[in-house]
Amino acid sequence: MVKQRFLALDVMRGLTLALMILVNTPGSWEFVYAPLLHADWHGATPTDFVFPFFMFIVGSAMYFSVRGLSQLTFAEQSKKILRRAALMFLIGVLLAAYPFTESLAQWRVMGVLQRIAIAYAFASFIILYFGFTGRVIISAILLVGYWALLNLSADPYSLEHSIVRQFDLSVLGASHLWQGKGMPFDPEGILSTFPSIVNVIIGFEAARVLLASEDKQQALSKLFVAALALIGAAILWSTVFPINKSLWTSSFVLLTCGVAILLLILLVKIEQSAAANAIKPVYHFFEIIGKNPLFIYVLSGVLATTLYLIPVAGESAYAALYGVFRSIADPYFASLLFALLMVGVLWLVAWVLHKRNIIISL
C-alpha cells in the first residue's frame, strides 16, 4: 500500500527542521540576531516556536500511523510504540553525550529527542484509546494540572525555585541536567514534558479535521477559528500563567499550537492557490529535507560537535570556518551565513537520500 502524503505537512516539517538547524548552529553564539535566540525566560521569540512546531508535526503525522496501529492487539501496539520511543530516547541521550568524553555520571538524561519520545508514547495511547471528547478532557487535565502543580512552589515561575527544577534535581541529580543557565536546570525536564503531550494531541486533531473532512474549505475555516481561540486563550491565560518555553507553560502550549495551525493553513492555501506552480520549487526544497527528519537532526548535532573537535591552525574547524565568513561580513551576518551553510550541507545529504529513495526511520 502506498503511504499517503500530506504535502503541506511535509513542507512544514522540512521548514521546521531547517529552522531548527539554523538556530542550533550559528557561527558564534556571541553574535546572533535577536529573533534567532530563545527568550531569556518569560515571553517568546520566533525561535521559541520551532520545537513546539515539531511536536505538533509529530502529532499530525500520527494521523497516518494510528490507523495501522488500531488494527493490532494492545500487546503489539505497546511493543511498537514503546520500542520506537525507547530508541528515540536512547538516540537523544547518545547525541547529547557525543563525543563521549565525560563519564556516565555527567551525561544529560533529558533533551529534545527524549521529550519527543515520551510525548509520542503517551499521545499514541491517548489517541488510540480515547475519542475526541476524551482527548479534550485529558488535554485540559494536563494543562490545568500542570498549572496547579507549579503553584505548589512559593515562587512557581522562577528559574531557581520552580518545582520543575526541584523535581529534576531530586530525580535525576544536578550532574544529569543542562547547565546552560548558570545552574543545573533542564528546559526539557521531566515534569515540563507532560504539557508538551498536548502539542502532539492538537497536532493530531488538526490533521484529523483537515484530512477526514470532505469539505476542505470548511475544515480550514474550522481550524482557523480554533487557532484564533487557542491564541486568544493563551494570551488571557498568560496574565496569570506566563508564556515560558523553558518551563513549557500551558499558555505556551496554546500559543504555539494556535500559531502552528495558522502556519499549516497558510501552507495549504498556498498549495491551493494560483501561485502553486511558482512556489513548487520552494515546497520541494523543504519537502526533501523533511523526509528524514530524525536522521538529519541527529546528523546536524554530530556534524557541529565534530567540527568543534577538529583542530585547524590552533583553533577548531568550527571557529576556523566561521572565521572565513567573518573575513567577508560583520560578525552577526557571518554567524548567520555559517548557519545557512550548515542548512545547505544537510539539505544536500537529504537530497542524496531522496534521490536514492532512502527513508531512515525507527
Side-chain angles (χ1 to χ4, degrees):
M1 183 175 70
V2 178
K3 186 177 180 181
Q4 186 179 353
R5 304 304 305 178
F6 179 9
L7 179 59
L9 181 64
D10 289 340
V11 172
M12 186 175 175
R13 183 188 296 110
L15 175 61
T16 302
L17 181 58
L19 288 172
M20 192 174 281
I21 296 166
L22 188 74
V23 302
N24 284 348
T25 53
S28 168
W29 285 105
E30 187 179 355
F31 302 104
V32 180
Y33 292 116
L36 298 178
L37 289 170
H38 291 291
D40 185 53
W41 194 240
H42 294 328
T45 71
T47 297
D48 290 317
F49 287 83
V50 175
F51 187 17
F53 277 13
F54 214 90
M55 303 288 286
F56 176 92
I57 293 164
V58 168
S60 297
M62 284 172 62
Y63 176 78
F64 301 105
S65 62
V66 293
R67 285 177 292 180
L69 286 170
S70 64
Q71 306 302 314
L72 305 177
T73 66
F74 177 75
E76 291 170 333
Q77 290 170 348
S78 299
K79 182 179 178 181
K80 198 161 190 171
I81 292 167
L82 296 178
R83 175 185 172 278
R84 188 173 188 227
L87 285 174
M88 195 180 303
F89 194 100
L90 177 61
I91 291 169
V93 171
L94 294 176
L95 180 62
Y98 177 76
F100 313 112
T101 54
E102 296 180 331
S103 69
L104 278 170
Q106 295 175 296
W107 283 20
R108 184 184 175 196
V109 174
M110 299 297 289
V112 169
L113 292 180
Q114 296 91 311
R115 169 161 289 180
I116 293 173
I118 294 170
Y120 158 78
F122 275 96
S124 293
F125 288 110
I126 292 168
I127 290 166
L128 281 167
Y129 288 97
F130 293 89
F132 173 73
T133 301
R135 295 193 289 266
V136 170
I137 292 171
I138 291 171
S139 296
I141 290 171
L142 285 170
L143 297 181
V144 176
Y146 183 61
W147 184 30
L149 186 64
L150 260 62
N151 277 279
L152 293 176
S153 167
D155 193 4
Y157 312 130
S158 69
L159 167 61
E160 186 174 1
H161 302 293
S162 74
I163 197 169
V164 169
R165 178 172 181 266
Q166 299 307 318
F167 187 84
D168 286 338
L169 285 171
S170 299
V171 175
L172 301 175
S175 63
H176 292 296
L177 304 184
W178 187 62
Q179 309 289 326
K181 284 192 175 291
M183 66 178 68
F185 169 80
D186 210 310
E188 284 85 44
I190 297 172
L191 291 181
S192 57
T193 292
F194 285 94
S196 76
I197 297 169
V198 181
N199 291 83
V200 180
I201 293 172
I202 293 178
F204 172 83
E205 293 300 336
R208 182 187 63 79
V209 169
L210 184 57
L211 296 173
S213 174
E214 301 212 357
D215 188 337
K216 300 303 181 189
Q217 298 310 311
Q218 185 182 57
L220 288 171
S221 297
K222 287 181 180 178
L223 286 176
F224 183 73
V225 171
L228 295 183
L230 289 170
I231 294 169
I235 293 170
L236 286 174
W237 206 352
S238 70
T239 60
V240 291
F241 194 11
I243 290 168
N244 186 304
K245 177 191 176 293
S246 295
L247 294 175
W248 210 277
T249 55
S250 302
S251 55
F252 177 74
V253 171
L254 298 183
L255 176 66
T256 53
C257 285
V259 176
I261 291 172
L262 290 180
L263 176 58
L264 185 61
I265 291 170
L266 177 62
L267 292 172
V268 172
K269 284 289 190 181
I270 292 173
E271 183 187 344
Q272 295 174 343
S273 72
N277 286 333
I279 207 75
K280 191 176 291 185
V282 177
Y283 269 41
H284 190 53
F285 176 92
F286 290 115
E287 183 186 11
I288 285 173
I289 198 170
K291 278 191 170 181
N292 282 286
L294 177 61
F295 177 76
I296 296 299
Y297 174 77
V298 171
L299 182 61
S300 72
V302 171
L303 176 60
T305 302
T306 302
L307 287 174
Y308 275 116
L309 296 174
I310 299 172
V312 175
E315 59 184 355
S316 70
Y318 197 105
L321 186 55
Y322 170 62
V324 173
F325 289 112
R326 181 68 186 87
S327 67
I328 60 173
D330 71 77
Y332 284 93
F333 191 52
S335 186
L336 176 60
L337 289 174
F338 180 98
L340 288 170
L341 174 65
M342 294 292 283
V343 174
V345 168
L346 291 160
W347 182 88
L348 285 175
V349 174
W351 178 79
V352 171
L353 295 175
H354 166 73
K355 282 296 182 181
R356 297 184 178 183
N357 202 28
I358 298 173
I359 301 293
I360 302 170
S361 60
L362 297 179

